[in-house]
Amino acid sequence: MSCSCRNGKRLSSIQTRQIEKLIDFIKENPEAFRLVLEVVNSFRPTDNERVKAERVFLAVRDILELRLLSYGKAGKVLEILKEFFIEGSDKQRGDFLEILISKLGPFTFRGRYRRNNQCKVFKGQEKLSDKEIDVAFSGREVLELHECKVNMVRQWRDPLNRRGKRGGKLSFLNSLPGECRGEKRVVPCCSGLDGELGTEYVRLVFKFYGYRNIKVIGREEIFKKLLERLK
């Protein structure tokens, strides 16, 4: 029997002006995508305002030194990042990734789809778990499910056994392709803003723990999807 993801929320419930401005900027200036997302990936909840301001300044300086943006655009992204990190909450980083993935669309299939956010997985009328799926894309033959973590290396570190909270979520995601055999193929994904090395590390960790059904999507895959959407 096929599965679905239901009882979710509207994307507008987590959208903020700061998130919208940052996403619009990277769409208009994809050449700065990697560095801007590296800044988002590097922040910690414990960072104070001075550390946040310094990281933003250093990122914009790198953008200028690499000649990725003009001085005018660099000044604009400086103000956007300051507003995003210094005036916004840490939760906004996770919401940013969830909204970015939602706007880019599915990574494993093409064609029409229906999107749902922060939903629960059902098999027929039976709810399989109270565990929440951040983003779900339901196509004609595929149900693509995303667990969004800005910094995957920090989140998916040892131990990840099935009895723990983090391992329990991964075990649930990993079980869905077998549990939901039917008209739709289920593709569970873990998405984040880590670079190539971090993303590959997470793939190796998942393989070690036996979570082989989970597709890991990092910054480079997200960047390629963005360029595809901009064509």
Side-chain angles (χ1 to χ4, degrees):
M1 184 181 293
S2 294
C3 289
S4 60
C5 205
R6 309 201 298 266
N7 298 350
K9 299 178 182 177
R10 291 181 178 273
L11 195 63
S12 58
S13 66
I14 59 172
Q15 177 80 285
T16 66
R17 182 173 54 86
Q18 290 98 331
I19 292 174
E20 188 174 1
K21 287 169 70 173
L22 184 56
I23 289 179
D24 287 345
F25 184 86
I26 60 176
K27 283 182 176 180
E28 294 167 5
N29 303 278
E31 61 273 24
F33 177 91
R34 289 186 176 93
L35 270 174
V36 170
L37 265 65
E38 174 59 29
V39 180
V40 180
N41 180 59
S42 67
F43 271 74
R44 294 175 179 271
T46 54
D47 289 342
N48 58 39
E49 286 194 9
R50 182 187 63 79
V51 172
K52 290 179 180 179
E54 183 177 352
R55 286 187 175 170
V56 167
F57 170 78
L58 292 174
V60 175
R61 186 192 67 181
D62 289 344
I63 286 172
L64 280 172
E65 288 181 351
L66 293 169
R67 298 181 180 180
L68 297 177
L69 296 174
S70 66
Y71 278 95
K73 288 184 177 180
K76 182 178 180 180
V77 75
L78 177 63
E79 292 305 313
I80 291 173
L81 289 173
K82 282 170 59 179
E83 186 178 348
F84 183 88
F85 288 112
I86 299 172
E87 298 177 17
S89 66
D90 183 69
K91 179 180 178 296
Q92 194 163 238
R93 289 195 316 140
D95 292 343
F96 164 80
L97 175 59
E98 185 176 330
I99 291 170
L100 179 61
I101 294 293
S102 297
K103 288 181 177 291
L104 290 178
F107 287 72
T108 62
F109 69 92
R110 297 179 181 275
R112 299 181 65 179
Y113 62 88
R114 181 173 54 82
R115 188 195 71 239
N116 212 336
N117 291 80
Q118 300 180 9
C119 50
K120 307 289 174 58
V121 179
F122 285 76
K123 184 177 181 180
Q125 298 302 314
E126 176 193 1
K127 184 169 66 172
L128 295 182
S129 172
D130 283 322
K131 292 179 172 61
E132 197 170 78
I133 303 298
D134 292 326
V135 187
F137 299 108
S138 180
R140 188 172 182 177
E141 298 178 346
V142 181
L143 177 63
E144 181 180 304
L145 307 173
H146 286 260
E147 173 74 1
C148 298
K149 297 297 179 186
V150 173
N151 191 309
M152 293 188 291
V153 169
R154 196 180 299 156
Q155 173 68 23
W156 306 122
R157 62 187 186 275
D158 290 337
L160 292 175
N161 56 68
R162 289 164 172 77
R163 294 182 181 180
K165 182 178 179 181
R166 289 175 293 137
K169 182 66 174 286
L170 293 175
S171 179
F172 171 66
L173 290 170
N174 192 68
S175 71
L176 289 175
E179 178 71 31
C180 301
R181 295 183 184 277
E183 296 175 2
K184 288 190 180 183
R185 177 171 56 94
V186 175
V187 182
C189 304
C190 282
S191 309
L193 301 182
D194 303 72
E196 289 182 284
L197 287 176
T199 301
E200 187 57 32
Y201 167 78
V202 172
R203 291 190 181 112
L204 291 173
V205 170
F206 284 9
K207 184 177 180 180
F208 174 80
Y209 278 97
Y211 303 131
R212 298 172 184 268
N213 293 328
I214 301 175
K215 181 177 179 62
V216 181
I217 296 172
R219 189 190 312 153
E220 290 304 309
E221 289 81 7
I222 295 173
F223 182 52
K224 289 176 185 176
K225 184 67 178 179
L226 173 68
L227 293 181
E228 180 184 305
R229 290 297 300 269
L230 292 176
K231 288 179 181 178

